[in-house]
Amino acid sequence: KYSSGKVCEKTSCSRVRICAGSFLYVTKKMKNSEENFQKLLEGINKYYTISKEVYKKFGGPSTYFHLECIKAGKKEYLGGRHIEMLYATLTAWGMHRIGDIEKTKAKLVEFEEFKKTILDNKEKLNRLKNVSLINLDQYKEEIKDLFLNLKVSISNALIVANSKTMYHLLWDLIPPMDREHTIYFFKKNKLVPKDSEKQFDLFLEILIKIKKIILSKEFQSLNIETTNKGFFKSKPKIADDLIMTYVKEIKEKDKIA
């Protein structure tokens, strides 16, 4: 056992007590998010090469339903097939786990409720569907309105479920986010605020930083392949794959250290 703030010599991890019986792990190598940002850009060609294969770690349904969802959205935006494939994709992406509802909050709402929350926001989505992340500053209020009004999960933690939903509806504007990679990369921990307004503030902060990655000369110099293999190649998703690859490498190094 380790007391609050002690460092594990074997794993190079700090254990910070956050509540009775639980700990927040902060890796020494991940302690400076600005340093992460710079190191990602410095090694961007290496991370991009590795990231092109990252989809293989997620299994068939994760990519199959994802690509079918994007395809359906391009053919008939917010049509029946698009929404059904989105529901299937979120399930494949870990947003709906089997088990007692009291023990896991990673559960989607029932399909009819899911469909309703998407279509209730149809007007907002249609206004944003051709917007790219580069133009984020002009659409912050519309994005906030959409983020706070979507109700796709029973959980009050909106960032993960809503970002993954919004990505499949606004693929040039919103990247998918998770605690394990995205939030960890930018915030040095996996914590998400309880308050929904503060969650949006974190969501927006991450969007601004991912936009910065996309606008960097290092990202702009990438020779991006346009193939049908793996995840859909929108710029926000490519940036997400880079972050995922970087964090996985750091965690692997920590296991060896």
Side-chain angles (χ1 to χ4, degrees):
K1 292 183 179 180
Y2 298 86
S3 59
S4 178
K6 294 290 185 179
V7 175
C8 170
E9 294 179 0
K10 291 184 179 180
T11 62
S12 300
C13 291
S14 300
R15 287 187 171 195
V16 183
R17 191 181 297 276
I18 56 174
C19 63
S22 64
F23 291 88
L24 165 67
Y25 294 80
V26 183
T27 309
K28 275 185 170 183
K29 292 177 182 176
M30 295 292 291
K31 67 182 179 180
N32 188 320
S33 58
E34 184 59 34
E35 184 181 351
N36 295 337
F37 187 90
Q38 293 303 323
K39 285 186 175 180
L40 174 64
L41 295 184
E42 287 169 10
I44 198 166
N45 288 298
K46 177 185 76 171
Y47 293 120
Y48 177 64
T49 299
I50 299 170
S51 74
K52 289 186 289 185
E53 303 296 316
V54 75
Y55 73 94
K56 293 180 179 178
K57 297 181 182 295
F58 293 86
S62 298
T63 49
Y64 175 78
F65 287 122
H66 156 72
L67 291 173
E68 286 296 307
C69 178
I70 300 293
K71 187 192 300 183
K74 289 189 171 187
K75 184 175 181 179
E76 185 184 357
Y77 191 68
L78 302 182
R81 171 83 173 168
H82 187 196
I83 295 173
E84 286 179 357
M85 287 298 98
L86 174 52
Y87 197 64
T89 301
L90 294 176
T91 303
W93 281 26
M95 292 293 95
H96 191 84
R97 296 177 185 169
I98 297 172
D100 189 337
I101 198 169
E102 297 301 321
K103 295 181 179 179
T104 177
K105 295 297 184 183
K107 288 188 180 293
L108 297 173
V109 297
E110 293 297 323
F111 178 71
E112 288 304 320
E113 187 178 347
F114 178 84
K115 182 178 179 180
K116 184 177 186 302
T117 196
I118 299 295
L119 294 180
D120 282 350
N121 288 281
K122 186 174 184 177
E123 186 176 335
K124 302 182 191 77
L125 288 164
N126 275 314
R127 285 201 303 269
L128 293 169
K129 70 177 182 179
N130 295 317
V131 176
S132 77
L133 184 54
I134 306 305
N135 302 118
L136 171 66
D137 292 350
Q138 302 169 40
Y139 295 93
K140 288 178 183 176
E141 288 306 313
E142 289 93 331
I143 293 169
K144 180 178 182 178
D145 192 25
L146 179 61
F147 180 88
L148 295 176
N149 278 287
L150 279 176
K151 182 61 178 174
V152 301
S153 169
I154 67 167
S155 173
N156 290 323
L158 304 177
I159 289 183
V160 177
N162 282 14
S163 69
K164 290 181 178 182
T165 300
M166 292 168 74
Y167 163 59
H168 286 91
L169 298 167
L170 306 167
W171 43 82
D172 290 320
L173 176 61
I174 307 294
M177 301 178 191
D178 65 5
R179 295 173 187 257
E180 194 70 27
H181 304 98
T182 326
I183 295 173
Y184 192 59
F185 179 85
F186 288 112
K187 300 303 294 180
K188 305 172 288 184
N189 60 59
K190 304 175 189 177
L191 296 178
V192 172
K194 290 184 178 180
D195 179 76
S196 57
E197 291 275 348
K198 289 181 179 178
Q199 287 188 56
F200 175 76
D201 291 341
L202 175 57
F203 175 76
L204 181 61
E205 179 185 342
I206 292 172
L207 284 181
I208 291 168
K209 289 178 178 178
I210 291 179
K211 173 186 171 182
K212 187 178 176 183
I213 292 174
I214 291 171
L215 288 175
S216 70
K217 67 179 187 297
E218 292 87 352
F219 187 94
Q220 296 292 329
S221 70
L222 286 175
N223 183 21
I224 295 173
E225 296 179 9
T226 54
T227 68
N228 294 323
K229 187 172 67 172
F231 295 117
F232 179 68
K233 306 296 189 297
S234 69
K235 288 183 179 179
K237 183 66 179 99
I238 292 169
D240 170 64
D241 288 348
L242 288 168
I243 290 167
M244 200 177 345
T245 303
Y246 176 88
V247 173
K248 285 182 183 298
E249 180 184 88
I250 296 301
K251 289 186 175 183
E252 283 300 316
K253 286 181 179 178
D254 285 344
K255 287 180 184 178
I256 297 170

